[in-house]
Every structure is written in C-alpha cells, then in structure tokens.
Amino acid sequence: NDYVLFQPGRQVESFDIKIYNSSGQIALQKTITDNELYRWDTNHLSKGTYFYEIIINEKSQTSGKVVIY
C-alpha cells in the first residue's frame, strides 16, 4: 500500500487539506478533525505530480508537491 502522511506541524483542533493534480483539478479536499496526522492513500491515483496545501484558520500554512510513479 502506498500512502502519504500529512500533519499541520503544530497542535490544532482541525485543518483543511487540498490536493490538486497537474491540471489544477482538485483530487482531494478534506477537513481533518479527529487526528493531527492524515494518511492519504495513493494506490488509486494515476502517475503524475500532485500539489498539496494545508490550511489552518482559513490561511495557507504549508504547500508542496507529491510525485506518484
């Protein structure tokens, strides 16, 4: 099983995560409230580059990219 772990980098009650494919389409948009660590299962995804953004209190805190191959 392939997966990527995300966490906000500090203690928060909840955070939003948005993941986009290389065309800018949203592949995942989720609010995480039950845990400070989120496991994103990548087994069903097409190969390519995905971009993520972690949002806390409606402000972007972290962003980056994930390459699936």
Side-chain angles (χ1 to χ4, degrees):
N1 289 343
D2 295 323
Y3 59 90
V4 176
L5 295 175
F6 293 98
Q7 72 184 119
R10 60 185 168 115
Q11 287 282 7
V12 294
E13 290 183 17
S14 67
F15 66 95
D16 296 316
I17 186 164
K18 291 183 182 179
I19 301 175
Y20 304 88
N21 63 20
S22 58
S23 299
Q25 298 169 317
I26 294 178
L28 175 77
Q29 183 171 348
K30 189 169 182 82
T31 298
I32 312 301
T33 57
D34 59 347
N35 197 322
E36 70 173 48
L37 188 64
Y38 176 68
R39 180 178 163 151
W40 181 41
D41 180 6
T42 59
N43 286 311
H44 66 286
L45 296 175
S46 300
K47 294 178 183 180
T49 302
Y50 293 81
F51 300 91
Y52 68 87
E53 179 179 27
I54 293 178
I55 302 160
I56 301 171
N57 297 326
E58 300 181 17
K59 295 181 182 176
S60 180
Q61 299 295 314
T62 304
S63 61
K65 68 180 175 179
V66 175
V67 179
I68 308 296
Y69 54 94

XYZ file of all heavy atoms in Angstrom:
572
model
N 0.831 -1.193 0.000
C 0.000 0.000 0.000
C 0.868 1.248 0.000
O 1.794 1.364 0.782
C -0.901 0.016 1.215
C -2.002 -1.011 1.135
O -2.298 -1.525 0.073
N -2.611 -1.306 2.245
N 0.535 2.169 -0.865
C 1.259 3.426 -0.959
C 0.419 4.530 -0.343
O -0.794 4.599 -0.562
C 1.559 3.768 -2.417
C 2.509 2.761 -3.046
O 3.424 2.302 -2.349
O 2.330 2.461 -4.237
N 1.073 5.391 0.419
C 0.362 6.485 1.055
C 1.327 7.620 1.376
O 2.541 7.439 1.385
C -0.365 6.031 2.325
C 0.552 5.447 3.371
C 1.132 6.262 4.338
C 0.838 4.098 3.404
C 1.985 5.745 5.293
C 1.690 3.568 4.352
C 2.242 4.392 5.302
O 3.090 3.873 6.247
N 0.743 8.782 1.639
C 1.493 9.963 2.055
C 0.881 10.424 3.376
O -0.343 10.439 3.516
C 1.395 11.092 1.001
C 2.102 12.346 1.479
C 1.957 10.628 -0.332
N 1.728 10.782 4.341
C 1.242 11.292 5.617
C 1.349 12.810 5.642
O 2.380 13.368 5.266
C 2.045 10.706 6.776
C 1.920 9.208 6.985
C 2.865 8.752 8.090
C 0.489 8.833 7.323
N 0.291 13.458 6.111
C 0.277 14.907 6.266
C -0.023 15.244 7.724
O -0.848 14.583 8.350
C -0.821 15.545 5.402
C -0.585 15.435 3.936
C -1.193 14.438 3.194
C 0.237 16.339 3.285
C -0.993 14.347 1.828
C 0.450 16.258 1.918
C -0.168 15.260 1.197
N 0.657 16.249 8.234
C 0.279 16.792 9.519
C 0.542 18.289 9.506
O 1.405 18.770 8.777
C 0.983 16.087 10.669
C 2.443 16.375 10.838
C 3.025 15.540 11.958
O 3.903 14.767 11.692
N 2.548 15.666 13.164
N -0.205 19.048 10.290
C -0.139 20.505 10.178
C 1.137 21.140 10.720
O 1.407 22.287 10.443
C -1.359 20.967 10.969
C -1.603 19.877 11.939
C -1.219 18.621 11.230
N 1.929 20.431 11.492
C 3.178 20.991 12.001
C 3.048 21.646 13.363
O 4.025 22.064 13.944
N 1.829 21.744 13.864
C 1.585 22.271 15.206
C 0.243 21.745 15.685
O -0.556 21.247 14.895
C 1.614 23.792 15.226
C 0.587 24.469 14.348
C 0.772 25.983 14.349
N -0.004 26.613 13.320
C -1.007 27.448 13.547
N -1.345 27.748 14.772
N -1.660 27.995 12.552
N -0.019 21.843 16.964
C -1.280 21.365 17.527
C -2.427 22.262 17.082
O -2.390 23.472 17.286
C -1.205 21.359 19.064
C -0.340 20.266 19.613
C -1.039 18.903 19.599
O -2.122 18.738 19.070
N -0.384 17.928 20.172
N -3.422 21.680 16.454
C -4.615 22.404 16.040
C -5.821 21.492 16.236
O -5.694 20.274 16.259
C -4.546 22.865 14.564
C -3.457 23.894 14.356
C -4.344 21.690 13.628
N -6.989 22.093 16.379
C -8.209 21.294 16.509
C -8.608 20.667 15.186
O -9.145 19.569 15.155
C -9.346 22.159 17.039
C -9.178 22.553 18.482
C -10.361 23.342 18.998
O -11.437 23.314 18.359
O -10.208 23.982 20.038
N -8.357 21.389 14.089
C -8.677 20.859 12.774
C -7.848 21.596 11.723
O -7.319 22.671 11.979
C -10.166 21.023 12.457
O -10.495 22.373 12.325
N -7.746 20.974 10.561
C -7.104 21.630 9.423
C -7.720 21.109 8.140
O -8.329 20.043 8.117
C -5.583 21.456 9.434
C -5.086 20.047 9.228
C -4.726 19.598 7.976
C -4.953 19.180 10.304
C -4.244 18.311 7.778
C -4.475 17.898 10.134
C -4.124 17.450 8.867
N -7.600 21.902 7.098
C -8.093 21.506 5.779
C -6.898 21.124 4.919
O -5.822 21.717 5.035
C -8.831 22.658 5.102
C -10.089 23.052 5.854
O -10.835 22.158 6.264
O -10.324 24.256 6.018
N -7.125 20.135 4.070
C -6.096 19.764 3.107
C -6.729 19.767 1.725
O -7.853 19.305 1.545
C -5.457 18.395 3.438
C -4.297 18.114 2.489
C -6.462 17.282 3.432
C -3.386 17.024 2.941
N -6.028 20.358 0.775
C -6.451 20.364 -0.625
C -5.313 19.789 -1.442
O -4.155 20.183 -1.273
C -6.772 21.774 -1.110
C -8.011 22.368 -0.482
C -8.308 23.735 -1.065
C -9.520 24.359 -0.423
N -9.792 25.696 -0.960
N -5.653 18.870 -2.336
C -4.659 18.261 -3.212
C -5.169 18.406 -4.640
O -6.327 18.085 -4.931
C -4.424 16.787 -2.851
C -3.942 16.687 -1.395
C -3.420 16.164 -3.813
C -3.796 15.291 -0.875
N -4.296 18.920 -5.500
C -4.628 19.182 -6.907
C -3.766 18.312 -7.807
O -2.593 18.054 -7.504
C -4.340 20.640 -7.264
C -5.037 21.649 -6.385
C -4.455 22.096 -5.210
C -6.280 22.163 -6.743
C -5.091 23.025 -4.402
C -6.920 23.090 -5.948
C -6.316 23.511 -4.778
O -6.951 24.436 -3.975
N -4.313 17.906 -8.951
C -3.482 17.222 -9.945
C -2.742 18.270 -10.776
O -2.906 19.475 -10.568
C -4.315 16.265 -10.810
C -5.359 16.962 -11.638
O -5.306 18.167 -11.900
N -6.357 16.194 -12.077
N -1.952 17.824 -11.717
C -1.129 18.752 -12.502
C -1.957 19.655 -13.416
O -1.455 20.660 -13.905
C -0.088 17.982 -13.320
O -0.728 17.061 -14.176
N -3.232 19.325 -13.627
C -4.123 20.178 -14.420
C -4.848 21.208 -13.570
O -5.634 21.996 -14.080
C -5.169 19.323 -15.144
O -4.545 18.419 -16.021
N -4.602 21.171 -12.261
C -5.245 22.119 -11.357
C -6.594 21.669 -10.835
O -7.259 22.405 -10.112
N -7.010 20.456 -11.175
C -8.274 19.921 -10.681
C -8.087 19.382 -9.270
O -7.047 18.790 -8.959
C -8.780 18.804 -11.589
C -9.057 19.256 -13.001
C -9.304 18.081 -13.925
O -8.598 17.086 -13.871
N -10.307 18.218 -14.781
N -9.090 19.562 -8.430
C -8.987 19.077 -7.052
C -9.107 17.555 -7.030
O -10.099 16.986 -7.489
C -10.061 19.714 -6.157
C -9.797 21.213 -6.023
C -10.079 19.058 -4.781
C -10.821 21.956 -5.200
N -8.081 16.894 -6.503
C -8.081 15.442 -6.346
C -8.623 15.055 -4.970
O -9.162 13.970 -4.795
C -6.669 14.888 -6.530
N -8.455 15.954 -3.995
C -8.944 15.712 -2.637
C -9.124 17.043 -1.929
O -8.274 17.923 -2.039
C -7.948 14.857 -1.846
C -8.288 14.634 -0.377
C -9.387 13.596 -0.235
C -7.059 14.177 0.383
N -10.233 17.161 -1.224
C -10.462 18.322 -0.363
C -11.124 17.779 0.887
O -12.198 17.180 0.819
C -11.354 19.351 -1.049
C -11.566 20.591 -0.222
C -12.275 21.689 -1.011
O -12.428 21.624 -2.218
N -12.702 22.715 -0.313
N -10.472 17.965 2.047
C -10.951 17.320 3.252
C -10.606 18.156 4.474
O -9.557 18.776 4.531
C -10.298 15.938 3.363
C -10.840 15.057 4.444
C -10.292 13.658 4.252
C -10.837 12.721 5.277
N -12.145 12.195 4.966
N -11.511 18.159 5.452
C -11.244 18.768 6.747
C -10.909 17.641 7.714
O -11.670 16.682 7.845
C -12.472 19.554 7.256
O -12.759 20.604 6.335
C -12.202 20.144 8.631
N -9.771 17.753 8.369
C -9.304 16.734 9.305
C -9.576 17.242 10.720
O -9.062 18.295 11.102
C -7.793 16.456 9.127
C -7.429 16.253 7.660
C -7.347 15.302 9.998
C -8.133 15.129 6.963
N -10.385 16.515 11.479
C -10.724 16.967 12.827
C -10.408 15.931 13.896
O -10.272 16.270 15.051
C -12.225 17.297 12.935
O -12.974 16.143 12.572
C -12.597 18.461 12.051
N -10.275 14.681 13.520
C -10.146 13.628 14.522
C -8.702 13.283 14.870
O -8.454 12.500 15.769
C -10.880 12.369 14.057
C -10.353 11.844 12.724
O -9.604 12.567 12.051
O -10.706 10.716 12.351
N -7.752 13.864 14.182
C -6.373 13.434 14.353
C -5.460 14.524 13.804
O -5.829 15.238 12.895
C -6.180 12.135 13.553
C -4.953 11.369 13.967
O -3.936 11.947 14.251
N -5.073 10.062 13.989
N -4.270 14.647 14.336
C -3.354 15.641 13.786
C -2.510 15.075 12.648
O -1.712 15.757 12.062
C -2.468 16.220 14.883
C -1.445 15.270 15.438
C -0.502 15.962 16.393
O -0.968 16.685 17.262
O 0.715 15.769 16.239
N -2.725 13.807 12.300
C -1.996 13.156 11.221
C -3.014 12.588 10.232
O -3.961 11.918 10.632
C -1.136 12.028 11.798
C -0.152 11.340 10.893
C 0.920 12.311 10.416
C 0.496 10.185 11.633
N -2.837 12.861 8.927
C -3.755 12.349 7.915
C -2.998 11.468 6.941
O -1.958 11.854 6.406
C -4.435 13.495 7.159
C -5.308 13.000 6.043
C -6.466 12.291 6.328
C -4.969 13.203 4.721
C -7.270 11.797 5.315
C -5.765 12.721 3.701
C -6.906 12.025 4.000
O -7.688 11.532 2.992
N -3.520 10.270 6.717
C -2.915 9.308 5.789
C -3.703 9.325 4.481
O -4.885 8.993 4.444
C -2.955 7.917 6.421
C -2.365 6.857 5.545
C -2.411 5.534 6.272
N -2.224 4.457 5.348
C -1.682 3.297 5.657
N -1.304 3.067 6.895
N -1.536 2.375 4.758
N -3.032 9.727 3.398
C -3.643 9.823 2.067
C -3.244 8.593 1.261
O -2.069 8.410 0.919
C -3.168 11.102 1.391
C -3.720 11.356 0.021
C -4.995 11.149 -0.404
C -3.015 11.876 -1.105
N -5.135 11.519 -1.718
C -3.919 11.977 -2.167
C -1.713 12.284 -1.310
C -3.565 12.450 -3.421
C -1.354 12.760 -2.567
C -2.273 12.841 -3.598
N -4.201 7.741 0.957
C -3.968 6.529 0.175
C -3.786 6.912 -1.293
O -4.665 7.516 -1.896
C -5.152 5.589 0.349
C -5.002 4.294 -0.420
O -3.936 4.039 -1.013
O -5.974 3.518 -0.430
N -2.656 6.567 -1.866
C -2.353 6.959 -3.246
C -2.439 5.789 -4.230
O -2.102 5.951 -5.401
C -0.952 7.598 -3.330
O 0.018 6.645 -2.869
C -0.874 8.856 -2.480
N -2.873 4.628 -3.799
C -2.918 3.449 -4.671
C -3.821 3.636 -5.891
O -3.558 3.074 -6.939
C -3.387 2.220 -3.884
C -2.310 1.704 -2.968
O -1.176 1.526 -3.376
N -2.669 1.481 -1.718
N -4.888 4.397 -5.769
C -5.863 4.549 -6.847
C -5.534 5.693 -7.813
O -6.240 5.899 -8.780
C -7.255 4.787 -6.242
C -7.360 6.075 -5.501
N -6.788 6.271 -4.264
C -7.935 7.249 -5.841
C -7.022 7.511 -3.879
N -7.718 8.127 -4.812
N -4.456 6.404 -7.554
C -4.140 7.596 -8.350
C -3.358 7.264 -9.615
O -2.587 6.307 -9.656
C -3.315 8.578 -7.528
C -4.008 9.167 -6.317
C -3.031 10.018 -5.531
C -5.203 9.994 -6.751
N -3.538 8.095 -10.606
C -2.721 8.000 -11.821
C -1.324 8.516 -11.515
O -1.136 9.349 -10.625
C -3.330 8.860 -12.929
O -4.628 8.438 -13.226
N -0.358 8.047 -12.268
C 1.010 8.548 -12.121
C 1.036 10.024 -12.460
O 0.290 10.484 -13.328
C 1.960 7.785 -13.037
C 2.116 6.340 -12.675
C 3.034 5.632 -13.641
C 3.120 4.159 -13.296
N 3.988 3.422 -14.206
N 1.877 10.769 -11.762
C 1.978 12.185 -12.057
C 2.339 12.994 -10.828
O 2.638 12.462 -9.764
N 2.277 14.296 -10.981
C 2.610 15.227 -9.914
C 1.328 15.810 -9.336
O 0.433 16.210 -10.073
C 3.501 16.363 -10.452
O 4.679 15.782 -11.030
C 3.909 17.317 -9.344
N 1.276 15.849 -8.018
C 0.136 16.407 -7.297
C 0.658 17.499 -6.365
O 1.769 17.390 -5.833
C -0.578 15.322 -6.483
C -1.241 14.298 -7.364
C -0.510 13.248 -7.926
C -2.589 14.382 -7.671
C -1.107 12.314 -8.752
C -3.199 13.460 -8.501
C -2.447 12.425 -9.030
O -3.045 11.513 -9.867
N -0.134 18.518 -6.186
C 0.254 19.638 -5.335
C -0.696 19.695 -4.152
O -1.902 19.485 -4.314
C 0.193 20.947 -6.139
C 1.108 20.924 -7.326
C 0.664 20.481 -8.555
C 2.426 21.317 -7.190
C 1.512 20.431 -9.650
C 3.290 21.283 -8.279
C 2.838 20.829 -9.506
N -0.141 19.952 -2.965
C -0.985 19.980 -1.771
C -0.862 21.309 -1.043
O 0.124 22.033 -1.197
C -0.640 18.836 -0.821
C 0.716 18.943 -0.179
C 0.887 19.662 1.003
C 1.819 18.335 -0.745
C 2.142 19.767 1.592
C 3.058 18.427 -0.165
C 3.217 19.141 1.008
O 4.453 19.244 1.585
N -1.887 21.586 -0.251
C -1.918 22.783 0.566
C -2.606 22.420 1.881
O -3.679 21.815 1.873
C -2.696 23.869 -0.162
C -2.823 25.165 0.579
C -3.583 26.207 -0.221
O -4.425 25.841 -1.066
O -3.322 27.389 0.007
N -1.977 22.764 2.996
C -2.587 22.604 4.315
C -3.041 23.979 4.777
O -2.253 24.928 4.771
C -1.614 21.963 5.310
C -1.333 20.518 4.888
C -2.180 22.015 6.728
C -0.343 19.788 5.767
N -4.304 24.063 5.158
C -4.921 25.337 5.518
C -5.390 25.261 6.973
O -6.115 24.326 7.349
C -6.097 25.647 4.590
C -5.608 25.677 3.139
C -6.779 26.946 4.977
C -6.680 25.498 2.117
N -4.963 26.246 7.771
C -5.370 26.338 9.178
C -5.982 27.717 9.384
O -5.366 28.725 9.021
C -4.178 26.123 10.127
C -3.551 24.750 9.875
C -4.605 26.274 11.581
C -2.245 24.515 10.600
N -7.182 27.738 9.952
C -7.887 29.011 10.189
C -7.992 29.851 8.919
O -7.735 31.049 8.935
C -7.228 29.809 11.305
C -7.275 29.089 12.630
O -8.238 28.382 12.918
N -6.246 29.243 13.431
N -8.310 29.196 7.808
C -8.506 29.843 6.514
C -7.256 30.503 5.937
O -7.340 31.346 5.049
C -9.656 30.852 6.591
C -10.972 30.219 6.974
C -12.116 31.189 7.033
O -12.011 32.301 6.482
O -13.135 30.837 7.638
N -6.070 30.110 6.435
C -4.803 30.632 5.908
C -3.920 29.468 5.491
O -3.765 28.501 6.227
C -4.078 31.470 6.963
C -4.820 32.723 7.357
C -4.040 33.503 8.386
C -4.817 34.734 8.823
N -4.132 35.470 9.890
N -3.318 29.579 4.324
C -2.406 28.551 3.852
C -1.172 28.511 4.745
O -0.523 29.531 4.966
C -2.010 28.842 2.408
O -1.125 27.859 1.943
N -0.855 27.322 5.272
C 0.279 27.166 6.179
C 1.452 26.445 5.517
O 2.595 26.766 5.773
C -0.146 26.384 7.430
C -1.234 27.062 8.219
C -0.785 28.382 8.827
O 0.285 28.475 9.408
N -1.605 29.405 8.679
N 1.136 25.464 4.706
C 2.168 24.637 4.081
C 1.681 24.227 2.696
O 0.502 23.977 2.503
C 2.395 23.352 4.916
O 2.720 23.708 6.245
C 3.518 22.523 4.354
N 2.610 24.150 1.761
C 2.277 23.640 0.435
C 3.488 22.902 -0.116
O 4.594 23.060 0.361
C 1.848 24.765 -0.502
O 2.910 25.691 -0.661
N 3.243 22.079 -1.114
C 4.335 21.322 -1.711
C 3.816 20.421 -2.805
O 2.684 20.583 -3.272
N 4.624 19.452 -3.190
C 4.210 18.544 -4.246
C 4.555 17.110 -3.880
O 5.458 16.853 -3.083
C 4.826 18.914 -5.591
C 6.315 18.732 -5.688
C 6.797 19.130 -7.073
C 8.310 19.063 -7.131
N 8.807 19.422 -8.447
N 3.800 16.197 -4.481
C 3.986 14.763 -4.327
C 4.043 14.175 -5.720
O 3.187 14.495 -6.551
C 2.819 14.140 -3.532
C 2.960 12.633 -3.473
C 2.731 14.738 -2.139
N 5.035 13.351 -5.992
C 5.149 12.717 -7.302
C 4.807 11.237 -7.130
O 5.410 10.538 -6.308
C 6.570 12.880 -7.884
C 6.671 12.184 -9.230
C 6.924 14.347 -8.023
N 3.830 10.757 -7.890
C 3.400 9.363 -7.875
C 3.990 8.700 -9.119
O 3.775 9.158 -10.234
C 1.866 9.244 -7.901
C 1.222 10.077 -6.807
C 1.432 7.786 -7.836
C 1.553 9.670 -5.408
N 4.737 7.628 -8.929
C 5.309 6.921 -10.076
C 5.237 5.439 -9.885
O 4.911 4.935 -8.858
C 6.762 7.348 -10.340
C 7.687 7.227 -9.177
C 8.449 6.090 -9.009
C 7.806 8.252 -8.238
C 9.314 5.971 -7.928
C 8.659 8.141 -7.180
C 9.413 7.002 -7.018
O 10.258 6.881 -5.966
